[in-house]
Amino acid sequence: MFANVATSTISAVSQPSAAGGTQRTTRPITTGTSVLGIKYKDGVMLAADTLCSYGSMAKYKDARRLVSVNPSTLIGGGGEFSDFQSITDTLRQNALEDRCTADSLYDEESAQASAKETWSYLRAIMYNRRNKMNPLWNDLVIAGFHESSGTKVPFLGMVDKIGTAFEDDMIATGFGSYLALPILREKWRADLEEGEARALLEDCLRVLFYRDCRALNRVQIAKATEDGVLVSEPYEIDSSWDSKSMVGAKGGLEGDGGW
């Protein structure tokens, strides 16, 4: 549905310009905004809205930016949507190749990359493209599980468009790093139940809808537990515009100041 949303920067590497040079994408065009992620008692949860903006126009309202790339890994992306599509296609192709070249087609767990391995792979990809002065214009959040000392451990990490990578208990990209991260830091606990984690992320998405003009109140939630990953269908969160500062007369004018 979104295959032709924008010309992918991946395909622009070797396209000669009219002047005979090589084209580079200098700024993203069709973009998604914040992605949020937190660890909770049973695993990791991600949240994002479904809006893709074409410049300043809210153009695509069903752009799903939370994706399962294998049975233990979720990825969420902000920034250029066509680049995000190319990244997820590459990860799914890698997952298929891993399964097909495994010692046994029935041993799925040993054939799939863990969330931490996927994060490390994407860090190398993003840094490589940055060094070629042709970055993939995305901020990526990777969530899932990986094995440590024989036990499954929840993982949450981020990679940006120049290859900067880190892990944390809570992550927010885009405007969320300014508006949502303070809320997460104040209210997050390591022993959050699933319902509490979901409510916290919805509160943050609601604030972003109020304050970020590239955000929407149609959202998705995704979770990764030891049993696997699950991405919800899009749904709308409640919002209220009854604040006195929003419904009162502006500048002492009668009505809303319109013609």
Side-chain angles (χ1 to χ4, degrees), residues 157-169:
M158 175 188 164
V159 184
D160 71 8
K161 66 179 180 296
I162 62 172
T164 305
F166 62 89
E167 306 171 42
D168 206 341
D169 293 326

Side-chain angles (χ1 to χ4, degrees), residues 102-146:
D103 293 336
S104 171
L105 292 176
Y106 304 101
D107 188 10
E108 291 190 6
E109 289 195 5
S110 64
Q112 68 191 24
S114 69
K116 191 166 187 176
E117 290 168 342
T118 302
W119 169 76
S120 183
Y121 172 77
L122 288 173
R123 179 204 56 76
I125 292 292
M126 303 300 268
Y127 185 66
N128 174 264
R129 290 295 296 263
R130 171 258 181 136
N131 286 342
K132 293 180 178 179
M133 301 300 172
N134 188 32
L136 298 169
W137 291 81
N138 296 109
D139 291 331
L140 304 172
V141 179
I142 299 91
F145 277 76
H146 71 101

Side-chain angles (χ1 to χ4, degrees), residues 64-87:
R64 306 187 183 194
R65 299 185 290 116
L66 301 181
V67 176
S68 167
V69 294
N70 65 42
S72 67
T73 305
L74 294 166
I75 179 172
E80 175 60 53
F81 191 68
S82 62
D83 282 352
F84 179 64
Q85 287 177 313
S86 287
I87 290 169

